Amino acid sequence: MKEKKSFLFISCDEAKHICDKSQYKEASIVEKLKLNLRYIWCRVTRAYVKKNKQLTTTLDNSNINCLNTLERQNLKEQFKQELSKQNQN
């Protein structure tokens, strides 16, 4: 028997997905409403939202320097060259 899906009440997995989308400003107003309804009564969802906010804040406040595209391509080329040298031996 198939379970009837409610329009406003979502599962924990759906709430986690919407929470992630919300952190990146990709969630719609309806999704945010659904998340907030789940947030009110679900302890697991509240914990997930709290941890997700902490992670986002930590990453925003960190000074992480990522490789730009050119640096990444150069690194890949160097890696391929080293692998080919090893394969020749």
Side-chain angles (χ1 to χ4, degrees), residues 6 10 15 17 28 31-32 44 48 50 53-55 57-58 62-63 66 68-69 72 74-75 77 81 88:
S6 175
I10 57 176
H17 180 68
S28 69
E31 289 175 322
K32 290 178 184 180
V44 174
Y48 185 85
K50 181 180 176 184
K53 284 181 181 179
Q54 286 175 339
L55 177 62
T57 302
T58 302
S62 68
N63 292 323
C66 297
N68 65 33
T69 306
R72 190 176 304 122
N74 288 337
L75 189 60
E77 286 300 318
Q81 289 173 1
Q88 291 174 358

Side-chain angles (χ1 to χ4, degrees), residues 58-82:
T58 302
L59 288 175
D60 287 344
N61 293 334
S62 68
N63 292 323
I64 297 175
N65 296 320
C66 297
L67 296 174
N68 65 33
T69 306
L70 183 60
E71 292 171 327
R72 190 176 304 122
Q73 287 175 341
N74 288 337
L75 189 60
K76 282 182 182 180
E77 286 300 318
Q78 289 175 356
F79 184 69
K80 286 179 184 178
Q81 289 173 1
E82 290 298 320

Side-chain angles (χ1 to χ4, degrees), residues 4-36:
K4 186 178 178 185
K5 225 178 174 179
S6 175
F7 175 70
L8 288 177
F9 296 104
I10 57 176
S11 69
C12 261
D13 289 335
E14 288 176 282
K16 290 175 184 179
H17 180 68
I18 294 170
C19 177
D20 294 340
K21 285 175 66 174
S22 181
Q23 289 291 320
Y24 295 105
K25 314 271 188 283
E26 295 174 353
S28 69
I29 293 171
V30 173
E31 289 175 322
K32 290 178 184 180
L33 174 66
K34 290 177 182 181
L35 176 61
N36 285 330

